[in-house]
Amino acid sequence: MEIERINDNTVKFYISYLDVEERGFSRDEIWFNRDKSEELFWEMMDEVNEEADFVMEGPLWIQVQAMDKGLEVTVTRAQLTKDGQKLDLPDDIEERRKMFSGEETGSQEFDEFEPVYDEGDTKKLEYSFVLSEVEELLPIAKRLMYMSVDTALYHFDGKYYMHVKFDEILHSEKDIKDQLSVITEYLQQTPMTIHRLEEYGKPIFKEDALPNVLHYFG
C-alpha cells in the first residue's frame, strides 16, 4: 500500500486489488458488502496511522477513486472552529475537490463523502502474525510464558496465523511494545484480521495458543 501525506489534515493512499486479495478480501466484498469494506478501510487506516502519523480524531471525510488496478482513497479530518464546532465540507463537488489538493485522474470517481467516526486516539491492541509451522511459536511461548496475553492460532489458506490481543487495562504501551518486540523477532506481522480468520480459517487453538503450543510441542 502506497501512502502520501498531503497536509496536516489530509492523507492519500493507494491499494492494489492484489494487495486487497492478499489481505483476505475479494473485489465483490469491498464494493457490495458494507461490513467487509469498513473492515478493510479501518485496517488500512491503522497502517496509515502508523506510517504517516495520521491520528484519526473526530469525523473523517472520505473520497474513493476506483482505478484499473486498485483503489485510491483520500481521507481528510474535518476541521474544527475555536469553540469545537465542526466545519462541514462545501456542498459543491468542485469546491470539495479543491480542499484535497489532489491531481486529476481519468479514473472512475465516487463523489459521495460520508463522515466516519472513530472511538478516539487509542493504542492498538490487536495484531496478527503469519507462520509456516506451529513449532515456530515455541521460542516465543518460552520467552513469554509468564506474560499474560490473549493468543489464538488459526490455519488458513495453507498458512498458520497467530492473533494476539492485549488488554487495555492490564497492558501498558511499554508492555505491548516489549512483547511485540519478542514476537517480531520470529514472526512477520500480517494485516489479516481476526474476523477473517474466524470466518474462513480453521481454529487450532481459539485461546491460550502460546501455552498450548508449549504444552503439546515443547
Side-chain angles (χ1 to χ4, degrees):
M1 187 171 75
E2 301 175 8
I3 302 172
E4 178 185 1
R5 185 68 179 266
I6 305 301
N7 54 45
D8 290 341
N9 294 308
T10 302
V11 66
K12 179 187 293 184
F13 53 94
Y14 171 82
I15 182 169
S16 68
Y17 290 124
L18 179 60
D19 192 356
V20 169
E21 292 172 357
E22 288 179 348
R23 293 166 185 263
F25 299 88
S26 68
R27 294 194 193 188
D28 288 343
E29 283 180 333
I30 62 175
W31 288 121
F32 304 112
N33 187 315
R34 182 183 181 91
D35 290 338
K36 294 297 182 183
S37 62
E38 289 183 357
E39 181 183 337
L40 174 63
F41 172 77
W42 289 115
E43 185 177 294
M44 293 188 294
M45 286 305 297
D46 282 341
E47 292 186 35
V48 171
N49 184 29
E50 292 177 3
E51 296 185 26
D53 192 26
F54 186 80
V55 180
M56 296 174 286
E57 294 179 334
L60 303 175
W61 298 95
I62 306 163
Q63 180 187 40
V64 180
Q65 292 180 327
M67 310 182 80
D68 290 339
K69 297 183 179 180
L71 303 174
E72 184 180 82
V73 183
T74 305
V75 180
T76 293
R77 287 185 296 223
Q79 299 181 33
L80 303 178
T81 61
K82 292 183 179 180
D83 59 0
Q85 296 297 313
K86 177 171 64 69
L87 292 178
D88 292 327
L89 289 178
D91 292 329
D92 183 77
I93 294 297
E94 291 304 321
E95 289 299 317
R96 290 182 182 182
R97 287 175 179 153
K98 293 178 183 179
M99 295 183 67
F100 288 96
S101 301
E103 297 180 0
E104 292 294 329
T105 66
S107 60
Q108 178 184 0
E109 186 168 313
F110 293 82
D111 288 322
E112 289 298 322
F113 290 76
E114 296 183 2
V116 178
Y117 295 87
D118 185 48
E119 294 181 354
D121 183 18
T122 59
K123 57 189 176 185
K124 186 176 180 182
L125 300 173
E126 298 188 35
Y127 300 82
S128 292
F129 300 88
V130 62
L131 53 146
S132 299
E133 303 292 339
V134 176
E135 287 80 358
E136 294 178 45
L137 295 177
L138 268 177
I140 301 173
K142 291 177 180 178
R143 292 180 62 178
L144 299 181
M145 64 186 301
Y146 299 114
M147 302 295 180
S148 175
V149 58
D150 293 333
T151 54
L153 183 65
Y154 290 82
H155 187 262
F156 174 65
D157 199 22
K159 296 180 180 179
Y160 292 93
Y161 294 87
M162 182 176 71
H163 182 261
V164 180
K165 183 177 181 180
F166 296 96
D167 186 283
E168 187 173 13
I169 298 177
L170 295 178
H171 301 100
S172 65
E173 291 188 11
K174 183 179 184 303
D175 292 333
I176 296 175
K177 182 178 179 180
D178 290 345
Q179 294 188 41
L180 286 177
S181 66
V182 172
I183 297 173
T184 53
E185 284 184 35
Y186 304 91
L187 303 180
Q188 181 178 355
Q189 189 176 341
T190 172
M192 182 71 70
T193 66
I194 186 60
H195 308 291
R196 195 70 175 172
L197 292 173
E198 289 177 339
E199 184 172 357
Y200 297 105
K202 176 184 178 181
I204 306 301
F205 299 115
K206 288 187 175 182
E207 58 184 19
D208 298 328
L210 289 180
N212 276 306
V213 166
L214 193 59
H215 175 75
Y216 290 106
F217 298 90

